[in-house]
Amino acid sequence: SVITFGIYPIVYWHKISKDVEILCEGDGRKTMKYMPSFILSLATIFVYGFVWKYQLAERMNFNAERYGLKFSESGALVVVLAIVFAFFPVSQCVLVKNFNKMAVAYNEYNGLEAPKDAFADEVEA
């Protein structure tokens, strides 16, 4: 983030919002793309950023059951974490953790192969 002057987090969350659209497709809801939400967040002195995180967490919670998951972190908890730990990425960690679980479950549900771990030691037998 510091190296890219804040551009990387915008790209990262943009990609997450696009992927949540795929993971939650067919639920009758939409996830606002990150760039418009970022602009609205700036215009509302960062209030809309909390709304966006709340909606993202709630949408993933709503769709988790489809993949046999249950997330204990509600959208409200994500917002509280974002406010209380404003200078630490605690709420982002919760969102990313739940997103990763949902992505793995989505791949299994759809019979897709999980991506290979680039850092795992491959041992050939």
Side-chain angles (χ1 to χ4, degrees):
S1 180
V2 172
I3 294 171
T4 62
F5 301 105
I7 293 171
Y8 181 75
I10 293 169
V11 172
Y12 179 82
W13 287 106
H14 171 75
K15 289 182 182 273
I16 291 282
S17 67
K18 283 176 59 178
D19 287 347
V20 167
E21 277 297 307
I22 294 167
L23 296 174
C24 300
E25 188 175 17
D27 67 352
R29 299 178 179 189
K30 291 282 183 193
T31 300
M32 179 183 270
K33 292 182 181 165
Y34 186 71
M35 197 58 194
S37 73
F38 178 74
I39 293 167
L40 277 172
S41 182
L42 292 175
T44 61
I45 311 167
F46 301 104
V47 171
Y48 192 79
F50 298 124
V51 172
W52 186 81
K53 285 179 183 177
Y54 173 85
Q55 291 174 340
L56 186 68
E58 286 297 308
R59 186 163 188 211
M60 287 193 298
N61 283 338
F62 181 78
N63 285 277
E65 191 175 317
R66 179 190 326 182
Y67 303 113
L69 301 171
K70 180 165 176 41
F71 301 137
S72 60
E73 301 88 5
S74 67
L77 178 62
V78 168
V79 170
V80 167
L81 291 172
I83 292 169
V84 172
F85 299 104
F87 297 106
F88 301 100
V90 176
S91 66
Q92 289 91 330
C93 289
V94 168
L95 288 171
V96 170
K97 175 188 68 100
N98 290 348
F99 170 81
N100 286 337
K101 284 181 181 179
M102 186 173 267
V104 168
Y106 173 88
N107 286 343
E108 289 174 1
Y109 180 83
N110 290 294
L112 302 172
E113 196 173 307
K116 294 193 177 20
D117 186 352
F119 300 106
D121 294 327
E122 292 189 32
V123 179
E124 291 188 28

